Amino acid sequence: METENKVHSKLYYELTDKDDKKAYARTKEVAAESEFSDKYYSYLPEFCELLANGKSYIRTRAFILCCSQSKWDIRGEIKKIFPHMLALLHDSKPAVVRQCLKAIAEVAVYRTELCGRIEEEISKIDLSEYKESMSELIRKDIDELRSILMSAGNNRINYYFNGSSVSPGNLSAGRRNAAVRLEDLSESANDLRVHSYDLHGSTYDNPIVDNLNVSHRVSPTAKAIDCSDLFSIEVAGKVLDFHRSIPGYAPTRLVSLEALAVKLGVESICVKDESSRFSLNAFKGLGGSYCIASYLAKQFNIPQNELCYNRLRNLKDKGLLKNMTVCTATDGNHGRGIAWAANRLGIRCHVYLPKGSSEERLNNILKENAEAEITSMNYDDTVRYASEMAEENGWILMQDTSTDNANGTNEADVPDEMLIRLMQGYTSMAAEISEQWRGNAPTHVFLQAGVGAMAGAMTACFADLFKKEKPVFIIVESNKADCIYRTAAADDGKLHYVGGDLSTIMVGLACGEPCAPAWEILKNKATCFLSVSDEIAVSGMRKLGKPEKGDPVIISGESGAVTLGAVAEIAGNDDYALLRKHLGLNSDSRVLVISTEGDTDRKNYEKIMKI
C-alpha cells in the first residue's frame, strides 16, 4: 500500500472540480447526508488535506465538511486535526472566516469538550485585519457562536467516547468502513499529509482499521501504573470473605426493574441497592472497614487470608488500638464509613467535611464517636487539609483519593496502599453481584464518579468478571465537578482538575481532582464519559422512588440515582438518539447500575420527591 503518494477518492476530485457550481453542489449534498449518516466519516483525512488548499472556496468547503462529521466522531479524530481547522478562523479572506464561524457551531454542539478551545480561538481573531464593514459582520458571527457555546455547555448530558477502548461491536455498521489514519498529520497546516488509507470495502480484520483505535497518550514525565490486577474478581471474593465476618453483614439486594426496562426499550435493568449496607445508608463502609482492617493486619502481622473481624476485636480487647487515630476528608459517606469502622474497633477518628456539607451528614459522623467539623474549603482543599493534619499530628490518613493529588504532583506514581485497600473494599459489591446475577452478562454498566475510586475499582473487577462478554462501561459525573470527563476529553496524559465551589446536589460526587490510580484503569477500560446536570440526578431519584407499576421502590440519594437517571434520559429521550446508537443501547441491552446511597440527606430527598 502506498505511504508517500496520496491516494485520493472520487469524492476528493468532485470537491475540487474546476466547475465551481458542481463542486459546491456536491459539498452541500455531502453535508446534508452527514446529518443522518456517518457515510462520509471515513473521508475525514481528505477533507483535512483540503484545509490547506490554495483556493479559499475549497478551504471553506473542506472546513464545512470536517465540521459535518463531528456528530459521528466518537473516536476523537477531529480533535487531532482541530489546530488545522482553527487556523481558518484567522484566514485572510473574511468570507472564509464568516462561513467557518457558522460551520464550527456544529462541533460545539456535538463535541462539547472542544467548546473551550473554540472560545479561546475566537477571542484571538483580529478584526482590524478586515475592512470595517466586514469586521462588524464577523463580530456578530462571533457573538452568535458564543451563544451556541454557552448553550452547548449547559446540555443535560455531554459525552466523550474514549478512543482507547471503543469496541468495534459498539459502532454503527457504517463506521465499519472507516479505514483511515490521522496520526501522521504534520504540525503545519500547509503540509497536511495522510499516509495510507483504504476508503472502500474495509472490515475490522484490516489492520489499518485497528490503527484508528489510538491509545491514550501519556506525557513522558508521567509514571502511569495500571493496577487493574489488584481488583480482580478473585481479590473481590477474599474482600467479601472479610466483610462477611462483620456482625450485621448481609448482601444488599440486586433489583430488577422490569416495567422500566419495557418502557425504555431495553432487555433488562438491574440496580444494586446500597442503601442497607451496614445500616450506613451507603456503600462506603465497605472501603473504610477493609482499609482499616488491612492496615491493622500489616501492623500486627495477621496474614491477609486470616483477616476477620474477630481477630481485630481481639486487638481492641487487649488494648492494642487505644492510641491509634485515623483521619480523613469526606463529602459525607466515606467519612461516615471510616468513622463507623474505627468506632467498632475503639480507634479514634478525625473527619473533615467541605463547606456546604449538610448538618445531617456531619451528625451521622459525630454519632460514630468521631471528631468532625465542616471546613470553609471545597472538597479537594479539605483533602489537602486532612493530609496536613495527619502529618502534623501523627495520625493515619485514610483517603479515598490519591495522596499524590494532595501534594500537587499530578501524576500516578506507585499507588498509595491505603487508597488501594479502600478501593478493594468496594469490590465486595462486585463479588455479591457475581453471586446474584442470573443469565447473560450485562451489556452496559453505568458507574458514577467523584474522584473515580469506586468507578475504577468496579470497572476493573467487572472487566475481569465478565471478560468473556465485556460490557460497555459508562462513567457518569456531575457537570459541576467533571474532572474525570475533562481528563478523558483533554487526552494529553495529564490529570485535569475542576476548581471552585463545585456546587451540585450530587454532594457525593462533588470532587474536582481525579484519583490517579483509578484514572489509569478508566482510561484503558471505560468506553464513554458523561458529564450531566443536576436534573439527571433528580430524574433518577424520582424514577427509583416512584417507580413504574410493578417495580419495587428504591430509596436513592442524589449521587446514587444519577446513573439510572442517565440511563433513562439516553434510552427515553430522542434528543440523545445518536448517543444511544453509539452506545449500542437497544432492545438487547442488559443494564446494570449501582445506587450507591440512600437518602443520606433526608430533607433534600423529601423536597425533591415532593416537587
Side-chain angles (χ1 to χ4, degrees):
M1 183 172 289
E2 294 183 43
T3 56
E4 295 300 328
N5 296 325
K6 297 182 180 70
V7 181
H8 292 143
S9 67
K10 179 183 176 182
L11 177 59
Y12 180 93
Y13 293 109
E14 290 174 341
L15 296 173
T16 56
D17 196 296
K18 291 182 180 179
D19 186 337
D20 185 53
K21 289 184 178 180
K22 190 174 180 180
Y24 180 65
R26 186 69 175 115
T27 301
K28 289 179 64 177
E29 182 180 285
V30 172
E33 287 188 55
S34 296
E35 280 287 308
F36 309 100
S37 169
D38 61 0
K39 174 181 176 180
Y40 295 103
Y41 178 72
S42 59
Y43 295 83
L44 193 56
E46 294 192 286
F47 300 156
C48 179
E49 183 181 325
L50 293 173
L51 290 173
N53 193 278
K55 297 178 180 178
S56 63
Y57 49 87
I58 293 180
R59 294 197 298 273
T60 305
R61 291 175 200 153
F63 189 96
I64 291 170
L65 293 180
C66 283
C67 293
S68 73
Q69 302 312 307
S70 58
K71 70 187 298 183
W72 309 110
D73 186 37
I74 66 169
R75 291 189 185 276
E77 301 299 331
I78 282 178
K79 184 164 62 177
K80 298 175 190 175
I81 65 173
F82 213 46
H84 309 303
M85 293 176 63
L86 293 175
L88 267 68
L89 296 180
H90 307 280
D91 200 275
S92 60
K93 301 281 188 180
V96 173
V97 176
R98 292 203 65 199
Q99 291 188 67
C100 290
L101 285 169
K102 289 180 171 62
I104 205 169
E106 190 163 9
V107 178
V109 170
Y110 291 109
R111 296 270 51 92
T112 54
E113 74 276 7
L114 295 175
C115 285
R117 292 181 67 182
I118 296 172
E119 172 61 41
E120 181 181 352
E121 204 64 35
I122 62 177
S123 69
K124 297 176 183 176
I125 294 177
D126 186 357
L127 296 176
S128 67
E129 293 289 320
Y130 311 106
K131 292 181 180 179
E132 186 176 346
S133 58
M134 189 58 71
S135 65
E136 186 58 34
L137 292 173
I138 293 175
R139 191 193 308 278
K140 290 181 179 178
D141 294 333
I142 290 173
D143 289 343
E144 290 177 7
L145 178 57
R146 281 204 166 106
S147 296
I148 293 171
L149 290 171
M150 185 176 297
S151 176
N154 292 326
N155 288 344
R156 284 163 66 90
I157 296 181
N158 293 321
Y159 62 92
Y160 179 79
F161 276 81
N162 183 8
S164 66
S165 67
V166 174
S167 168
N170 298 326
L171 301 179
S172 67
R175 187 66 54 79
R176 292 179 181 273
N177 290 327
V180 298
R181 293 182 62 179
L182 298 180
E183 300 94 298
D184 299 313
L185 289 175
S186 72
E187 291 299 318
S188 170
N190 295 317
D191 184 19
L192 301 178
R193 296 190 301 274
V194 181
H195 282 273
S196 62
Y197 49 88
D198 175 9
L199 291 171
H200 305 289
S202 301
T203 69
Y204 270 93
D205 294 326
N206 188 324
I208 298 297
V209 181
D210 293 335
N211 286 331
L212 261 178
N213 197 352
V214 182
S215 297
H216 182 89
R217 295 185 297 279
V218 180
S219 66
T221 57
K223 301 175 183 177
I225 298 174
D226 186 345
C227 50
S228 297
D229 57 332
L230 297 177
F231 307 101
S232 67
I233 191 62
E234 181 181 0
V235 170
K238 294 176 181 178
V239 175
L240 181 57
D241 286 341
F242 165 72
H243 284 133
R244 281 174 169 153
S245 74
I246 300 176
Y249 164 82
T252 56
R253 60 179 182 163
L254 183 67
V255 179
S256 177
L257 302 182
E258 297 179 7
L260 183 60
V262 170
K263 181 177 180 179
L264 296 179
V266 297
E267 182 178 320
S268 64
I269 298 174
C270 288
V271 182
K272 180 70 167 167
D273 177 13
E274 287 295 301
S275 63
S276 62
R277 182 69 69 185
F278 290 130
S279 302
L280 295 173
N281 212 8
F283 78 102
K284 287 285 190 174
L286 294 171
S289 59
Y290 189 70
C291 182
I292 290 179
S294 297
Y295 176 81
L296 296 177
K298 186 174 182 178
Q299 295 299 308
F300 294 97
N301 297 314
I302 301 173
Q304 200 72 20
N305 60 358
E306 296 179 15
L307 187 58
C308 68
Y309 181 75
N310 285 339
R311 289 286 297 270
L312 304 182
R313 286 287 300 190
N314 286 337
L315 297 176
K316 175 192 176 183
D317 294 342
K318 292 177 181 179
L320 299 175
L321 308 181
K322 60 183 180 180
N323 295 322
M324 189 176 291
T325 303
V326 296
C327 171
T328 196
T330 184
D331 45 31
N333 294 333
H334 163 70
R336 186 180 183 186
I338 290 286
W340 169 79
N343 189 32
R344 287 205 159 199
L345 296 172
I347 297 172
R348 292 195 293 272
C349 181
H350 286 261
V351 181
Y352 300 98
L353 294 89
K355 63 180 177 181
S357 298
S358 72
E359 290 295 324
E360 181 177 356
R361 290 189 170 96
L362 173 64
N363 290 332
N364 284 333
I365 294 170
L366 292 171
K367 288 176 184 176
E368 300 295 343
N369 293 322
E371 297 289 330
E373 63 178 274
I374 298 174
T375 72
S376 60
M377 299 168 279
N378 70 13
Y379 173 81
D380 300 294
D381 288 335
T382 303
V383 168
R384 274 181 276 277
Y385 181 69
S387 179
E388 292 168 3
M389 290 296 98
E391 185 174 355
E392 182 179 316
N393 294 286
W395 300 336
I396 305 157
L397 182 67
M398 293 187 170
Q399 198 56 56
D400 58 348
T401 190
S402 314
T403 52
D404 287 332
N405 291 16
N407 296 326
T409 63
N410 194 30
E411 59 183 41
D413 207 331
V414 177
D416 177 81
E417 185 175 355
M418 296 294 189
L419 171 58
I420 293 300
R421 295 304 187 188
L422 273 161
M423 292 171 65
Q424 286 177 328
Y426 303 151
T427 64
S428 273
M429 293 186 289
E432 288 181 356
I433 289 170
S434 72
E435 297 176 354
Q436 296 168 323
W437 192 268
R438 298 291 180 268
N440 294 327
T443 60
H444 297 75
V445 178
F446 286 73
L447 296 166
Q448 51 273 77
V451 298
M454 185 278 287
M458 295 297 284
T459 295
C461 198
F462 282 137
D464 184 49
L465 173 62
F466 299 118
K467 53 178 168 279
K468 291 183 179 179
E469 303 176 83
K470 182 186 173 184
V472 173
F473 293 106
I474 303 101
I475 309 304
V476 185
E477 292 174 280
S478 163
N479 60 8
K480 298 297 193 301
D482 51 0
C483 55
I484 301 291
Y485 170 86
R486 295 192 191 195
T487 297
D491 192 24
D492 59 3
K494 300 176 183 178
L495 300 179
H496 286 257
Y497 300 163
V498 180
D501 291 340
L502 309 175
S503 55
T504 169
I505 65 169
M506 292 172 266
V507 176
L509 308 183
C511 312
E513 300 181 11
C515 168
W519 168 245
E520 293 306 316
I521 295 170
L522 295 175
K523 77 172 187 181
N524 292 320
K525 290 181 168 58
T527 303
C528 183
F529 301 89
L530 305 182
S531 172
V532 309
S533 67
D534 283 352
E535 290 87 348
I536 299 299
V538 169
S539 171
M541 293 169 69
R542 291 173 179 162
K543 282 180 169 55
L544 290 169
K546 297 179 179 180
E548 298 293 318
K549 186 176 181 180
D551 285 348
V553 172
I554 298 176
I555 305 299
S556 184
E558 301 86 346
S559 300
V562 66
T563 47
L564 191 280
V567 172
E569 186 77 1
I570 296 167
N573 186 342
D574 280 342
D575 286 347
Y576 298 100
L578 188 63
L579 174 56
R580 186 163 65 238
K581 177 183 177 182
H582 286 332
L583 289 173
L585 195 63
N586 53 44
S587 59
D588 296 323
S589 298
R590 297 177 295 278
V591 178
L592 171 64
V593 302
I594 300 175
S595 174
T596 53
E597 64 174 3
D599 52 347
T600 53
D601 185 343
R602 287 187 176 84
K603 287 184 178 179
N604 196 51
Y605 180 84
E606 291 171 0
K607 178 181 177 182
I608 287 173
M609 296 304 290
K610 286 178 181 178
I611 296 176

